[in-house]
Structures are given as C-alpha cells and as structure tokens.
Amino acid sequence: MTDSKVLGFYPGTVPPRCFHCGLPVSSQAEVAALIRGELRSFCCTGCKSVCEAIHAAGLEGFYQRTPEGEILGPPPEPPKELALYDIDEVQEEFVDSLGEVREINLLVEGIHCAACVWLIENSLKAMPGVAEARVNLTGRRLRLKWNNDRLKLSQVLRRLGEVGYAAMPFDPEVAEGSLQRANRRLLYRLAVAAFGMMNLMWISIALYAGADEGEFRGLFHWIGFAIATPVLAYSGWPFYKGAVLGIRGRSLTMDLPIAIGVTITYLYSLYVTVTGTQVSDVYWDTVVNFLFVILVGRFLESISKRQAVAATQRLLDLQPKVATVLRGGEETILPMRAIQVGETVLIRPGEKVPVDGLILEGESQIDESMLTGEARPVLKAQGERVAAGTLNGPGVLRVRVEGLLRHTALGRIITLVEDAQASKAPIQCTADRIVPWFVAATLSLGLLTFLFWLPTDLELALMAATAVLIITCPCAFGMATPMAIAVASGLGARQGILVKTGAVLESLSSIDHFVFDKTGTLTEGRPTVTAINSTAGVWTGAGRNPGGLSLFGQHLEGQGEVMTDRTGNLSDEMVRNLASLAALERFSEHPIAKAVLILCREQEIEYRQLDVAQVQTHPGQGISGVVAGRSVVAGTASWVKDQCLDAEVPSLEAAALHFSRGGATPIHVGMDGRVVMVMAIEDRLRPDAADVVAGLKAQGIRVTLLTGDRRGVAERTAQALGGVEFIAEVLPEDKNQVIADLQAQGQRVAMVGDGVNDAPALVRADVGIAMGNGTDVSIASADIVLMQAELAKVPQAAALSRRTLRTIRQNIGISVVYNFIMVPLAVAALVTPLVAAVSMPLSSLAVIGNSTRIRTLFQQPRH
C-alpha cells in the first residue's frame, strides 16, 4: 500500500474519492496506481483493476460520458466457474441455437447509466468474434451475438468482469414462467381496455347530457368508434382466438358466446354511426366496459390459479441446477444434464444434494424435511442413500449418482403433482361433456330471446340477446372440478400426500375397507435382530429382548433352558455364519435383510469380501445362494426345512416357538443342508398405528391386517391395534387374490403397503396407497404416495378426498344456482350486457374462492 501522504491524504483533511467509482477512500483501504502517468487513488483493488483495463483498451471516454457527480460504486464480484458456460449442455438452455453463431441474453450487474452502456458495447465490439452487443439500460440486460468458434462465452464474461460488470446467462422466457407471462399479457390487455373505458366514459356523459340530439352527435359517435375499435381488436383478441380454435376443433368453447355478444354490440353501434340514424343509440361504452370487466375476472382467475398450483413451482425450486463432479481426481462444476449415472459428486456443507445416490465416503446430518416432513436432520453415513433436493449439514459427502433430474425422488414427486393437476376426475369428464351442449343451449337461447323481443324493439332485442349470451357463459361450470383438484393436489403435496390422478380423489372418498400390510406399514419398517439361538451358542443383543419382552411391551415367561445361556458376545462360528448370511442378504431389499446387515455392522463383522453366486429370492419364503462355496438358505421354518436334509434340531425348534410366542418373527438359517440357527426379528408398531386404526373404525370403515407372518404373531399384532381383523401366512402372490376376493364381496378396498410384494395388491385395489419409505416398485404401483412415514397421513388423505369431492359438488351447485337465477332475468330483458359482464366473472370467482377453502382442511383451530 502506498503511503497516504504521497497521495496528499493527511489526517483532518477531506478524504479523496475513488478515481473510478467516486466513493470516498479510507486511509485503511486505500489503493494507488499510475494512470496515464498520474498517481490515482482507489477505494479497492477491484476499482483499480477495472480502471486499468478501461484505459488499456482505449475506452477512457467512459469517464467523460459518466454524468457529473454519478457514483458508480465498486465493481460487483464476477460469477465463478466461468468455463461452465462454455459447455453446450449449459448453453442450450439460454441460446437460440447451438450453431456457429449464437445469441444469448445476459443479465448484467453494475450498470448505472448511459456511460455504462457505451463502455460495455464498445469493449465487447472490440473483441474478435463478437458480431453484436446491445445493452438494455432499463432491464440491465445485454443481448450478445457472437461466433462460438472464434470466441468462448467465458471470455466475454471475463472481459465484462475486467471492465467492472458481473454478467451471467439469463433466459427471460424460462425465468418468468409461462403462467406469469400469460398474466402479464392479460394485464396489458386489461390496461388498454381500462384506458378505453375511461375515455369513453366522457363521451357517454356528453351524449347522455344532450349531445346525442345536437350537431355534435355524429362527431361523438365517430370518436367512440375510434376508441372502441383498437380496444376490441387488442383486448378482445383472446376471446376471438379461443372461439376460432374451438370451432376448428369442432368444440363449442365458452369464448364463443362472449365473442358473439361483443361483436353483435359492436356491429350494431357501427351501423348506427355509419348511417347516422336518429332513432337508435350507440353502445361503444358497453363494448369496452364489457371487455374490461371480463378481463378483470379473467385476471383474478389467473392469479388464483397460479397460487393454487404454486406447489409445483416450489418443488422445482428445490432442484439444484449444477453439481461438483469428481473426474480424474479433479473437481468440476457441471450442469445436471451433463452428469452421468455412476459418476461421483462432491457435496459440501450447506449445499443441496443434487442427485439421488449412495454415500461412498463421509458422514453428515441431512435435512429431509422437503421429502418426509421430519424437521430433525437425519444422520447419513457410508452405504446409505440420499435424495436430491435435501440439504446437507456439516459434513462433506462423496456420493455415487443413481438418479438425475426427473429420475430422482424429487423429480418423481414433481411429475406426480403435475399429472394430478392435469388429470380429470370422472365427475369432471362428465362436466366436460356437458359444456359443449351448454354452449349450444346458450346460443340457441340467445337467438330465441332476440326473436322474442324483435317485434317489440330491435335495440331491446339486441341487448337482451347479448345479455343472455354473456350471462350464461359456463366458465364457473367448466372450472368447478379442475380448480378443486389443483388446490387439493397442491395441499396434498405440501402435506406429503402425493395424489397421482384426480380420479383417485373421487375413488378414495367412497372406500369402505382399508387393508394394511404389516411390515413397514403398520410397523416402523426397521426390524432388528434381538436374539440368535444357534448350534454354536446363544446370543442376546445388549438392551434387546428376545421374546421376553415383545414389541407390544408384554412380558412372557421363559421357555425352560432355551435362553439361559445368554451373552453379548458372538462365538467364532456364529460370526462366520452371520458373515455368510449377510453376504447373501445384501442382495435383498427385504427389511429383514437390512436387520441382518445392521447387526453385522454393529458387531463389526466383515462380509463384503465373500464371493456370492446363484442368488435367488423366494417371495414370502426366503432367500438362497452360494457364499464362498457354502450353500446358504434363510427364511420361514417350513421353507428352510424343505431345503435342508438335517432340519430337526430340538433346541432350535424350542427357540423358534419361544420367539413366536413373544411376538417376534423367527427366521431359520441353513448352511450346507443343515439348520444352524434361528434369529428373533422384531419390528415395533408405529406410534400412531393404533390411533389411525381406531379413527377409521370410528367412521364405520372396516380395517384388516394382511401379513405373511405366522398366525400367532399376526394375532398379537391385531390385538395391539385394538382387535382388528387379520389374515396371516399370506404369500406375496396371494395378497392380490385377497384384495380381489374382498372386492368380489362388493367392498371398495384401499390397500396400504410399502414392499415389492405389495405392488400387485396395490394395483388390484380400488385405491393403492404406498408409504414413501417403500420400494420404487410399490410407489410406482400406487395411486397415492405418502412421502412421510406416518400412518396418520392415511386418514388425512381420505379426508382430503372427501373434502375435494364435496367442494366439486358445491362448485357445480354454485354454477347451476347462478344460471338458474340470472338467465331468466336476462331473457326477460331485466339485465343489461354490462351487468351481465359484471356478474359472470363473479360466479367464476365464487368457484375459485370456494375451491381455495380446501386449504383450511389441515389448519389447526385457533383457541
């Protein structure tokens, strides 16, 4: 740093201003440099570098063009990883085409005045390869056209940084969103209609005050024509476009009556203006006022729709756009589209997880509230999976990519919500079939009204017919169902209830029988090995209860000498057997397999180096394979005995009986044709399971427990749930048939499950509900996915469906009552077209308002 006295900065004097930006320079932060032979002071290194770059490029005219007294401020920090924007996969989101010559919009930070525009344009035009550079001062945007073969985009961005500006690609279409763009265009049309309405109001006042009888009558009529015509052409265009498209598609849309009504009124007023007849009046104000009121209604509807479906946008915002990929030992920031499945990404503390994947290295707390609703972070370590959109905590993770973009859990959630909002319930399909007939009836009624009043008065007949066409517009009827479904789908997504189609909401409201799978649905899905009885010894985990204390908290007497030799240590032979079993079980997704793997991890038993072959899973029975040359089987007692020659071991049979009576599930393990051990597997009931079942039973809904466990275990589970019906020892392939049998009895069945073997039953049921912690197959097969592992979401989903169906019926009722009251008034010529234009959007807003009341379903009452 240069001595402040050299620069003439003495204590007590006024500090100098930065030669570049004009801000005061403090003695502690002062930077100096020679500019054209003179020593200049700067407030920071950034201003010094920018000033030197500007003079080196011969663009010092920038300072002459800067307004006197203008304070520019120090240059903004340029974006990092500029080379990222040279990748075609990144540019394709922003450029018009990936050809040799490309065009892009850049959002530029640091533009203050016209001098900034001059500096940017001239500094870029001097670069070889830049064909055009145009700056929009108001929007702080730069439209760049360049030859990508001669010049890289990163070089342009770097050059802008050198002269004091931070720029990054910007796609106005994508950034703004289609719905927001439509709202903006609608607002422009509304503003034009408002301008015309205000001006025509003065014309109307003059005519009503007596000008319609004087010499200026024709002048005022032509002025009204000059104002109303452009308003009709611009503000009325959406209605004409909708009507024409409907006719081309051989469908009568709700835009058709509006277009006919406003056109007839306009043509009649034009006839009066051109002919100069003295017996009729013009209705230019009615045309414009009508368009204005209709557009106000449309705009309010659009705003309400945007808020109703905002859940999807919030989910999209959770998806990271780039990730740090490890390639050849180097860290490279790449867009999501350029990353491949199987690559490794680095996730730093505080970053969003960009992909679905498996943790290869590291440990951290992950905030999964966006997926599960659980506020507390979850500890994730090597071998566990993370989901895109969740938030990493304090640790650094290396994750192998397993899912990207739409193929992640978050992507599937977004797809489900979008599909649900775009789908139609059966009641909506009925409404859609009625709307064209409704429009045809409207046109016919308008014609009959005109013919009825024509003998009395042409003007009266015209106004009455126009009022009928406008007032009977079936907008409210047409949006009765989609608005309710859109709001319900968004609310469900926020509550962790993902509804795949609108039809499901209607079906779920009529369910009278819920069937629950046991493992992972009614239980926590985290079974643990509580005890092992083996030919090589007996083991009981520390703090575990191998049948002495069941998962239901009930004490049982011990069974003779079976469990007297208890120890917290595993014998060498038990360790070898468990290692072989774990090596086999790691190829299974069954919760019991996970329990075995967790036990081995806790006991530090190494099994990954063992060779495994001929793995076969037998749904509902067990798993088999060859591990390090040994034949290994594990599963139910009857199935394992069929696989083993030496199956009768009295001590193990007694242990299995003891485990079963204690509420645990006994798993038999055989090695080389001989049963060698029996494990006790326990899985606790979810804390809310009993309350959920009791709530459903209180509503008169039947509840059945469906499980592959032995009858004794199933019976004890059913008792703990409050005495529900149960069907035990059901093989996976038979679950589907159980649901079919219940349906054959005339019952409407909802199946709640989480496993691969539940998928056929979920498809068979009238409504399939999958727990979000389930397998991909079960989630894909279900109609509703509960992202939070809470059974309380099941009755909430049922309540949401009932509320939605009730709201749809109310919306249809609002539409019917509105037409029942207003149509006769219009036919009787008691309603003017303007009053009709006011009342018509009010009915639509009533439907929207009633639909948004669905959001109050899960709100806690205030005390």
Side-chain angles (χ1 to χ4, degrees), residues 324-333 343-344 346 348 398:
T324 303
V325 182
L326 299 176
R327 288 181 176 175
E330 298 288 333
E331 297 180 11
T332 306
I333 297 179
E343 291 192 293
T344 301
L346 180 69
R348 296 183 176 86
R398 292 174 183 260

Side-chain angles (χ1 to χ4, degrees), residues 72 162 167 172 481 573 614 690 693 830 851:
L72 304 179
E162 290 172 355
T481 300
E573 185 177 342
Q614 301 178 28
V693 170
L830 298 176
S851 297

Side-chain angles (χ1 to χ4, degrees), residues 125 149 174 255 277 288 323 369 410 500 519 551 682 778 861:
K125 288 176 181 178
D149 291 343
V174 173
D255 287 324
T277 177
V288 175
S369 57
L410 178 60
K500 289 189 177 180
T519 304
L551 72 165
E682 294 194 23
S778 63

Side-chain angles (χ1 to χ4, degrees), residues 402-456:
E402 294 183 339
L404 292 157
L405 300 172
R406 287 281 178 175
H407 301 292
T408 63
L410 178 60
R412 288 190 289 272
I413 292 172
I414 294 171
T415 300
L416 289 176
V417 175
E418 289 175 343
D419 290 347
Q421 292 178 341
S423 65
K424 297 181 180 181
I427 192 171
Q428 182 184 352
C429 295
T430 301
D432 289 346
R433 287 194 296 269
I434 292 175
V435 165
W437 295 100
F438 194 100
V439 174
T442 297
L443 298 176
S444 301
L445 188 60
L447 178 61
L448 292 174
T449 302
F450 177 79
L451 295 175
F452 177 81
W453 289 106
L454 183 59
T456 304

Side-chain angles (χ1 to χ4, degrees), residues 575-585 610 627 630 632 671:
V575 169
R576 284 194 299 271
N577 290 339
L578 281 172
S580 297
L581 177 61
L584 178 63
E585 291 284 18
L610 297 176
V627 181
R630 303 175 68 192
V632 181
M671 302 278 179

Side-chain angles (χ1 to χ4, degrees), residues 244-323:
V244 171
L245 291 177
I247 293 174
R248 286 181 178 177
R250 298 183 180 181
S251 174
L252 299 179
T253 66
M254 53 192 69
D255 287 324
L256 185 58
I258 296 176
I260 292 176
V262 72
T263 301
I264 290 176
T265 307
Y266 175 85
L267 292 177
Y268 179 78
S269 301
L270 181 61
Y271 164 76
V272 173
T273 300
V274 172
T275 60
T277 177
Q278 299 292 318
V279 297
S280 300
D281 295 317
V282 294
Y283 291 93
W284 300 123
D285 56 337
T286 300
V287 171
V288 175
N289 293 353
F290 164 66
L291 288 174
F292 173 76
V293 172
I294 293 290
L295 288 171
V296 167
R298 288 274 175 104
F299 183 71
L300 294 176
E301 288 173 18
S302 183
I303 293 285
S304 301
K305 288 178 183 177
R306 183 182 175 192
Q307 293 173 348
V309 300
T312 304
Q313 185 59 46
R314 285 194 292 272
L315 289 171
L316 286 169
D317 292 340
L318 291 172
Q319 285 192 315
K321 302 297 186 292
V322 296

